[in-house]
Amino acid sequence: MEFRYPVAVAENNAHSLRYLTRNLSDPEAGQAAFEELLLELGNSVDVYPDWHPILTNPPQDGLRGASLQNLPAYKGMDHTVLFIKGFVTCPYDEAKADQLVNNVNAVTGLQAYRLDAVLYSDNAYPVVVQAVDVVLEGDGTIRSRDALAWCVQEMVKDAHNAEVAETWWNIRTNLLGCPHGSRSSIIVNQHTGSHIRKILEAMNNSGMYGPIKEWSLNMLSKKKRDTIAKTLIMTAIANYRDARRKFDFELCGEAIKAEVRDTWDDGTELRVVVVIGDSDLVVTGCYYPENGVLETSSPKGKRSIAEKFL
């Protein structure tokens, strides 16, 4: 589905509101507290980009790139909702809530406090955590110059140990957060997202990360990806013989390896894997001969090869 910023914001905020208030004895009071958090922290989000200060400010302890739950500074968090500037978490243990506040307030660039209002459960002890340097633009997204600077800092760190360069389509979620579209998200607008992409592609083309790894084909429409998958899987089925579980065939000038497994040994479900080269293109799927139904995964690999099968 196409990403539409106003729709995504409304849906995410509504979902988070339900999550934090549905179990309360006084949901109206919970809603009022939630609306205050929206004013303080910005809109609700699902995933932070890797460069967000909420992830990068706490000591990593060898866990660089770890999720919130795995960072020692956030030990004790439970029943958590993310917002652009920070998050609210609702542990049931008051001592853990107090310790979380102390841990976070010891980290430069972060602040935490116990929320007076009740959220998630009448028996929970909500804690608000905020990255103090995050400033929002007029559209509710992170200020462009800050987002770009934080993003570049993380990209440069990755270069030292990188083996391959990841394409924009491979790591959009890591750079934009989630939910996101092709070049923007609830966290960054199109101006910022477009510049993040340009910076990534310039770094990739410089060779600083190593050879470029193509994997995601999300730059192609779903219809095209489905066509590619169907073409390869059905051609494999057409070349399948009961006595051969693994076999090769050629199509569009490409040598293709296929494996077909009869899941239940009765011909009702065939699991298919198609691979070109050294995983230059990979497609998997299930075919049900009785009714001709085909279910496939999205193809992965190199665009130049994938487009041969359109």
Side-chain angles (χ1 to χ4, degrees), residues 8-9 12-13 15-16 38 41-49 52 80-87 140 176-179 185-188:
V9 166
N12 257 50
N13 288 346
H15 179 270
S16 296
L38 288 179
L41 302 178
N43 293 310
S44 177
V45 300
D46 294 337
V47 177
Y48 291 124
H52 196 290
T80 303
V81 169
L82 310 184
F83 301 84
I84 296 178
K85 289 185 176 183
F87 60 87
L176 298 177
C178 193
S185 67
I186 293 179
I187 297 174
V188 297

Side-chain angles (χ1 to χ4, degrees), residues 110-128:
L110 300 181
Q111 68 177 16
Y113 64 89
R114 287 272 302 275
L115 189 67
D116 291 335
V118 176
L119 286 173
Y120 185 73
S121 167
D122 293 342
N123 299 315
Y125 299 90
V127 173
V128 176

Side-chain angles (χ1 to χ4, degrees), residues 157-177:
K157 291 178 184 177
D158 289 337
H160 295 291
N161 298 312
E163 296 181 358
V164 296
E166 298 281 2
T167 69
W168 171 254
W169 300 98
N170 290 354
I171 59 172
R172 274 187 305 169
T173 298
N174 303 80
L175 299 177
L176 298 177

